[in-house]
Short mmCIF file of all heavy atoms in Angstrom, two decimals:
data_model
loop_
_atom_site.label_atom_id
_atom_site.label_comp_id
_atom_site.label_asym_id
_atom_site.label_seq_id
_atom_site.Cartn_x
_atom_site.Cartn_y
_atom_site.Cartn_z
N LEU M 183 -23.42 7.98 7.50
CA LEU M 183 -23.34 6.65 6.63
C LEU M 183 -22.02 6.67 5.86
O LEU M 183 -21.32 5.68 5.76
CB LEU M 183 -24.53 6.69 5.62
CG LEU M 183 -25.09 5.21 5.34
CD1 LEU M 183 -25.45 4.54 6.67
CD2 LEU M 183 -26.18 5.40 4.50
N LYS M 187 -18.96 3.92 6.02
CA LYS M 187 -18.61 3.12 4.85
C LYS M 187 -17.04 3.28 4.64
O LYS M 187 -16.42 2.30 4.28
CB LYS M 187 -19.35 3.66 3.64
CG LYS M 187 -20.66 2.95 3.49
CD LYS M 187 -21.49 3.67 2.35
CE LYS M 187 -22.87 3.17 2.30
NZ LYS M 187 -23.71 4.19 1.64
N GLU R 150 -30.30 5.61 5.26
CA GLU R 150 -30.04 4.68 4.01
C GLU R 150 -31.02 5.13 2.90
O GLU R 150 -30.67 5.11 1.82
CB GLU R 150 -30.08 3.26 4.44
CG GLU R 150 -28.74 2.82 4.93
CD GLU R 150 -28.65 1.40 5.51
OE1 GLU R 150 -29.76 0.87 5.64
OE2 GLU R 150 -27.57 0.95 5.77
N TYR R 153 -30.38 8.37 1.30
CA TYR R 153 -29.17 8.36 0.50
C TYR R 153 -29.50 7.67 -0.84
O TYR R 153 -29.11 8.16 -1.86
CB TYR R 153 -28.13 7.56 1.27
CG TYR R 153 -26.76 7.48 0.57
CD1 TYR R 153 -26.03 8.74 0.33
CD2 TYR R 153 -26.27 6.24 0.10
CE1 TYR R 153 -24.84 8.59 -0.31
CE2 TYR R 153 -25.06 6.26 -0.47
CZ TYR R 153 -24.28 7.39 -0.70
OH TYR R 153 -23.13 7.39 -1.34
N LEU R 154 -30.24 6.56 -0.73
CA LEU R 154 -30.57 5.80 -2.04
C LEU R 154 -31.45 6.66 -2.86
O LEU R 154 -31.29 6.78 -4.08
CB LEU R 154 -31.31 4.58 -1.63
CG LEU R 154 -31.56 3.63 -2.82
CD1 LEU R 154 -30.27 3.07 -3.47
CD2 LEU R 154 -32.44 2.40 -2.46
N PHE R 193 -35.50 -0.14 -10.03
CA PHE R 193 -36.22 0.94 -9.68
C PHE R 193 -36.67 1.68 -10.92
O PHE R 193 -35.87 2.05 -11.66
CB PHE R 193 -35.40 1.98 -8.78
CG PHE R 193 -34.77 1.36 -7.57
CD1 PHE R 193 -33.52 0.90 -7.63
CD2 PHE R 193 -35.60 1.29 -6.45
CE1 PHE R 193 -32.94 0.33 -6.47
CE2 PHE R 193 -34.98 0.71 -5.30
CZ PHE R 193 -33.63 0.18 -5.35
N GLU R 208 -29.05 -1.68 -9.68
CA GLU R 208 -27.92 -1.75 -8.71
C GLU R 208 -27.03 -2.76 -9.25
O GLU R 208 -27.49 -3.84 -9.66
CB GLU R 208 -28.37 -1.97 -7.32
CG GLU R 208 -27.32 -1.77 -6.33
CD GLU R 208 -27.82 -2.02 -4.95
OE1 GLU R 208 -28.89 -1.61 -4.55
OE2 GLU R 208 -27.05 -2.63 -4.16
N ALA R 209 -25.67 -2.61 -9.12
CA ALA R 209 -24.67 -3.57 -9.47
C ALA R 209 -23.66 -3.50 -8.40
O ALA R 209 -23.26 -2.59 -7.85
CB ALA R 209 -24.10 -3.35 -10.82
N SER R 210 -23.04 -4.59 -8.23
CA SER R 210 -21.88 -4.78 -7.18
C SER R 210 -20.92 -5.79 -7.70
O SER R 210 -21.13 -6.75 -8.53
CB SER R 210 -22.42 -5.02 -5.85
OG SER R 210 -22.98 -6.25 -5.84
N GLY R 211 -19.60 -5.63 -7.21
CA GLY R 211 -18.54 -6.45 -7.62
C GLY R 211 -17.22 -6.02 -6.93
O GLY R 211 -17.22 -5.09 -6.13
N GLN R 212 -16.38 -6.99 -7.15
CA GLN R 212 -15.05 -6.76 -6.30
C GLN R 212 -14.30 -5.74 -6.94
O GLN R 212 -13.95 -5.71 -8.14
CB GLN R 212 -14.30 -8.06 -6.41
CG GLN R 212 -12.90 -8.05 -5.77
CD GLN R 212 -13.11 -7.94 -4.23
OE1 GLN R 212 -13.95 -8.36 -3.58
NE2 GLN R 212 -12.22 -7.07 -3.60
N GLY R 213 -13.91 -4.69 -6.07
CA GLY R 213 -12.92 -3.59 -6.55
C GLY R 213 -11.53 -3.94 -6.13
O GLY R 213 -11.17 -5.07 -6.03
N ASP R 216 -12.13 -3.72 -1.79
CA ASP R 216 -13.32 -4.35 -1.24
C ASP R 216 -14.41 -4.25 -2.29
O ASP R 216 -14.19 -3.66 -3.32
CB ASP R 216 -13.68 -3.69 0.05
CG ASP R 216 -14.56 -4.63 0.96
OD1 ASP R 216 -14.95 -5.76 0.56
OD2 ASP R 216 -15.00 -4.20 2.05
N VAL R 217 -15.67 -4.78 -1.86
CA VAL R 217 -16.78 -4.84 -2.82
C VAL R 217 -17.17 -3.29 -3.05
O VAL R 217 -17.12 -2.40 -2.28
CB VAL R 217 -17.93 -5.48 -2.22
CG1 VAL R 217 -19.18 -5.24 -3.03
CG2 VAL R 217 -17.59 -6.95 -2.13
N ILE R 218 -17.40 -3.00 -4.47
CA ILE R 218 -17.89 -1.71 -4.84
C ILE R 218 -19.45 -1.99 -5.20
O ILE R 218 -19.76 -2.87 -5.87
CB ILE R 218 -17.26 -1.25 -6.17
CG1 ILE R 218 -15.70 -1.06 -5.92
CG2 ILE R 218 -17.86 0.10 -6.55
CD1 ILE R 218 -14.95 -0.65 -7.15
N ARG R 219 -20.26 -1.05 -4.58
CA ARG R 219 -21.67 -1.14 -5.00
C ARG R 219 -22.06 0.12 -5.80
O ARG R 219 -21.67 1.24 -5.36
CB ARG R 219 -22.51 -1.15 -3.69
CG ARG R 219 -22.96 -2.54 -3.26
CD ARG R 219 -23.82 -2.46 -1.98
NE ARG R 219 -25.11 -1.80 -2.22
CZ ARG R 219 -25.67 -0.94 -1.34
NH1 ARG R 219 -24.97 -0.68 -0.28
NH2 ARG R 219 -26.82 -0.39 -1.67
N LEU R 220 -22.75 0.03 -6.81
CA LEU R 220 -23.11 1.31 -7.56
C LEU R 220 -24.51 1.09 -8.17
O LEU R 220 -25.05 -0.02 -8.29
CB LEU R 220 -22.09 1.53 -8.65
CG LEU R 220 -21.77 0.41 -9.75
CD1 LEU R 220 -22.80 0.55 -10.74
CD2 LEU R 220 -20.40 0.67 -10.24
N ILE R 221 -25.08 2.23 -8.62
CA ILE R 221 -26.34 2.14 -9.35
C ILE R 221 -26.04 2.95 -10.77
O ILE R 221 -25.19 3.81 -10.82
CB ILE R 221 -27.44 2.89 -8.62
CG1 ILE R 221 -27.10 4.22 -8.11
CG2 ILE R 221 -27.98 2.00 -7.41
CD1 ILE R 221 -28.28 5.07 -7.63
N TYR R 222 -26.77 2.52 -11.75
CA TYR R 222 -26.70 3.28 -12.88
C TYR R 222 -28.15 3.43 -13.53
O TYR R 222 -29.00 2.63 -13.23
CB TYR R 222 -25.85 2.50 -14.05
CG TYR R 222 -26.34 1.15 -14.42
CD1 TYR R 222 -27.15 0.92 -15.39
CD2 TYR R 222 -25.77 0.01 -13.71
CE1 TYR R 222 -27.52 -0.35 -15.78
CE2 TYR R 222 -26.15 -1.27 -14.03
CZ TYR R 222 -27.06 -1.46 -15.05
OH TYR R 222 -27.43 -2.73 -15.40
N MET R 234 -24.27 7.23 -13.53
CA MET R 234 -23.72 6.13 -12.72
C MET R 234 -23.45 6.81 -11.45
O MET R 234 -22.79 7.88 -11.36
CB MET R 234 -22.66 5.46 -13.33
CG MET R 234 -21.92 4.29 -12.70
SD MET R 234 -20.91 4.68 -11.37
CE MET R 234 -19.42 5.19 -12.26
N LYS R 235 -23.57 6.11 -10.31
CA LYS R 235 -23.08 6.63 -8.95
C LYS R 235 -22.66 5.43 -8.11
O LYS R 235 -23.34 4.50 -7.97
CB LYS R 235 -24.27 7.34 -8.22
CG LYS R 235 -23.77 8.04 -7.10
CD LYS R 235 -24.56 9.05 -6.40
CE LYS R 235 -23.78 9.64 -5.15
NZ LYS R 235 -24.50 10.30 -4.18
N VAL R 236 -21.55 5.64 -7.54
CA VAL R 236 -20.96 4.70 -6.64
C VAL R 236 -21.65 4.79 -5.27
O VAL R 236 -21.56 5.93 -4.70
CB VAL R 236 -19.37 4.71 -6.57
CG1 VAL R 236 -18.91 3.70 -5.61
CG2 VAL R 236 -18.87 4.55 -7.94
N LEU R 237 -22.25 3.77 -4.77
CA LEU R 237 -22.96 4.00 -3.45
C LEU R 237 -21.88 3.59 -2.39
O LEU R 237 -21.92 4.12 -1.28
CB LEU R 237 -24.07 2.98 -3.28
CG LEU R 237 -25.20 3.29 -4.21
CD1 LEU R 237 -26.33 2.27 -3.92
CD2 LEU R 237 -25.78 4.66 -3.98
N GLN R 238 -21.10 2.51 -2.55
CA GLN R 238 -20.14 2.19 -1.45
C GLN R 238 -18.87 1.69 -2.19
O GLN R 238 -18.86 0.90 -2.96
CB GLN R 238 -20.80 0.96 -0.77
CG GLN R 238 -20.00 0.48 0.46
CD GLN R 238 -20.69 -0.76 1.09
OE1 GLN R 238 -21.84 -1.15 0.73
NE2 GLN R 238 -19.97 -1.40 1.92
N SER R 239 -17.73 2.11 -1.58
CA SER R 239 -16.44 1.65 -2.04
C SER R 239 -15.42 1.98 -1.00
O SER R 239 -15.57 2.91 -0.25
CB SER R 239 -16.07 2.23 -3.38
OG SER R 239 -15.30 3.32 -3.22
N THR R 240 -14.43 1.18 -0.96
CA THR R 240 -13.34 1.52 0.00
C THR R 240 -12.05 1.65 -0.91
O THR R 240 -11.00 1.25 -0.43
CB THR R 240 -13.14 0.39 1.09
OG1 THR R 240 -13.29 -0.86 0.46
CG2 THR R 240 -14.07 0.59 2.21
N ILE R 249 -13.03 6.97 -9.20
CA ILE R 249 -14.29 6.39 -9.82
C ILE R 249 -15.54 7.19 -9.24
O ILE R 249 -16.61 7.15 -9.86
CB ILE R 249 -14.49 4.88 -9.60
CG1 ILE R 249 -14.41 4.48 -8.22
CG2 ILE R 249 -13.39 4.13 -10.38
CD1 ILE R 249 -14.97 3.12 -7.94
N ILE R 250 -15.33 7.78 -8.06
CA ILE R 250 -16.51 8.51 -7.52
C ILE R 250 -16.42 10.03 -7.93
O ILE R 250 -17.40 10.73 -8.21
CB ILE R 250 -16.55 8.41 -6.06
CG1 ILE R 250 -16.43 7.00 -5.61
CG2 ILE R 250 -17.75 9.14 -5.43
CD1 ILE R 250 -16.32 6.70 -4.13
N VAL R 303 -15.24 -1.34 -12.25
CA VAL R 303 -16.63 -0.72 -12.54
C VAL R 303 -17.09 -1.18 -13.88
O VAL R 303 -18.30 -1.46 -14.07
CB VAL R 303 -16.35 0.88 -12.48
CG1 VAL R 303 -17.67 1.53 -13.00
CG2 VAL R 303 -16.14 1.28 -11.15
N MET R 306 -18.44 -4.61 -13.76
CA MET R 306 -19.72 -4.75 -13.13
C MET R 306 -20.90 -4.31 -14.04
O MET R 306 -21.89 -5.01 -14.13
CB MET R 306 -19.72 -3.88 -11.87
CG MET R 306 -18.97 -4.45 -10.76
SD MET R 306 -18.32 -3.25 -9.58
CE MET R 306 -19.86 -2.40 -9.16
#
Side-chain angles (χ1 to χ4, degrees):
Chain M
L183 216 54
K187 277 171 187 160
Chain R
E150 275 171 353
Y153 185 64
L154 186 65
F193 305 93
E208 195 181 315
S210 61
Q212 181 64 39
D216 200 359
V217 171
I218 300 175
R219 264 180 66 220
L220 58 84
I221 52 169
Y222 60 89
M234 187 277 290
K235 186 168 184 198
V236 178
L237 296 182
Q238 183 183 350
S239 93
T240 44
I249 57 169
I250 308 172
V303 170
M306 283 155 55

